[in-house]
Structure formats: structure tokens, C-alpha cells
Amino acid sequence: AAVGIYRVCWCPGETGCTTLADFATDIGALVVTGPLASPVYTCYRRRPCAVLGLQGFDLKEGHKLRPIYLNSSCEDTTQVVLGIPNGGMTFPASNDGRDFSFGNDPVTVNAGSFRLCWCTSIFQCGAGDLFTFQAGILRIAPYEEFYMAEVAPAGWSPDEISLVVWLLILPLPVGLCGLVGCYMIAVLRRRMREKRDGVVPEKPKQRE
């Protein structure tokens, strides 16, 4: 059964117990423990990775996660994705089994999606062991996405940021060239805003 909470219904044997209506007595709940298989968690290239707030039922500290490629299943592979820190698996879970860290080293694998496999702490959960249960999808996003979300000034577009960075690294001499560079930045930023806002610049009038 899938992870979740189920009701347990009871039927007295003398009734035959042949139809659903015969199981009319609720005797409690059955909890199938473990992580949910469908949530998506995001980490970024060139940044440390952590899965925080793993969704599931009755999770415990000490469990581990290991990403694998989407064309494999958790039940039949011990593969390791190169470029995932800490040998491709997390340190033991903390925060009641919901937070997992791959350590402080940055992710170097190319951006993409990977299947997250979960190993309960009652097993060894080592490099050669099966992480049998799927615990969601780990999305490795490009570093540029992290930069836009966490670093870039609010309201700046990627084009504007790239332009400013490019102009700043040009070996512009001081003086007149520096003033020209500032003027170019101001003009290009204005044109980008007009393009983004749908403003069509007026054409210059022709001399008669």
C-alpha cells in the first residue's frame, strides 16, 4: 500500500464478510510509514544541497537519501550520481527525520531531475545498500536560477544583469570612456525597460 493513513474496518465471521457493507465496524487506523513519492525538492549547481521538510508519515532521525537517475528504480540499483556531494548520499536525517544534508561541498552534476531514494535507519544505509523507497524528485537547478532568486537586485532582469556585469569587466579607462560607459548603461537599461513594458520608441523625424 502507498504511504498514508488508512481506516481498519472489522467484520464478524458469522456474517460471511463477502461485501464491503459487512465491514461496518471501524476499529482504528493503520499508518503506512515512510516518505511520500511525488514531492519535488530543489537544489542548485555550485551550491551546497539540503532536502528540508521531507514529506511523509512517522519519519525518524537517522534515515538517509540517495539520488539516482530517473531511468532507474530505487528497488534495483545501488548506483551513485557523480557530482552529488558526500559520495552521493545524505548524512543521517535530523529534525524528526525531515531534514537531510549532503554537506557543505557544492553540487557539480549538470542541472536535471533525479529520483530520490530513501533508506530507513533500521538498516545500515551504506554505499552498497539498497535505498528501497522513492521519496520524491530532486531537481538540480542551474546556478543562474539561484543567483536571480537570492543574489540579484530586486526587479532586475537577466539581460540587465548580464549587460552590467559585461560592461564592468571591460577594461574601460577612466575619464571620457568611463562617462561613455555609464551613458551606454543608462540608455540600454531604458530600452530594456521600454521593451519589457511594451513601449514603442518614437522614430526620429526626417528632414524635408
Side-chain angles (χ1 to χ4, degrees):
V3 171
I5 301 176
Y6 301 84
R7 303 307 305 173
V8 179
C9 302
W10 176 80
C11 170
E14 58 270 17
T15 65
C17 302
T18 57
T19 67
L20 291 178
D22 295 331
F23 294 81
T25 305
D26 188 330
I27 60 172
L30 172 66
V31 179
V32 179
T33 63
L36 299 179
S38 59
V40 178
Y41 308 92
T42 299
C43 286
Y44 299 95
R45 288 197 76 240
R46 297 166 51 191
R47 298 290 303 170
C49 179
V51 175
L52 304 178
L54 189 77
Q55 299 181 41
F57 293 88
D58 197 29
L59 302 176
K60 296 287 193 301
E61 296 190 359
H63 301 162
K64 291 183 181 181
L65 295 174
R66 178 169 61 200
I68 63 172
Y69 294 100
L70 289 179
N71 59 2
S72 300
S73 64
C74 297
E75 292 84 1
D76 60 9
T77 184
T78 58
Q79 68 180 223
V80 173
V81 177
L82 298 179
I84 298 293
N86 195 43
M89 69 179 67
T90 65
F91 290 98
S94 60
N95 189 26
D96 294 328
R98 297 189 178 277
D99 292 348
F100 299 79
S101 172
F102 289 93
N104 295 323
D105 293 333
V107 173
T108 59
V109 69
N110 290 334
S113 295
F114 301 87
R115 197 182 310 279
L116 269 179
C117 300
W118 177 82
C119 178
T120 175
S121 58
I122 64 174
F123 300 116
Q124 185 175 356
C125 298
D129 298 316
L130 285 175
F131 285 47
T132 310
F133 302 97
Q134 180 167 328
I137 299 296
L138 178 63
R139 174 177 170 265
I140 302 298
Y143 175 80
E144 292 76 11
E145 187 174 317
F146 165 81
Y147 185 88
M148 289 302 303
E150 304 293 339
V151 180
W156 283 43
S157 70
D159 288 338
E160 290 175 319
I161 294 171
S162 299
L163 175 63
V164 172
V165 171
W166 174 247
L167 290 174
L168 287 175
I169 65 175
L170 287 176
L172 290 174
V174 295
L176 180 60
C177 291
L179 294 175
V180 171
C182 292
Y183 174 76
M184 289 175 60
I185 293 174
V187 170
L188 290 173
R189 288 200 61 195
R190 187 183 72 244
R191 290 181 178 177
M192 286 181 180
R193 285 195 299 268
E194 290 174 347
K195 183 178 180 181
R196 182 179 59 201
D197 298 336
V199 177
V200 179
E202 295 182 0
K203 295 181 179 180
K205 295 181 181 180
Q206 296 182 353
R207 295 182 179 179
E208 296 181 356

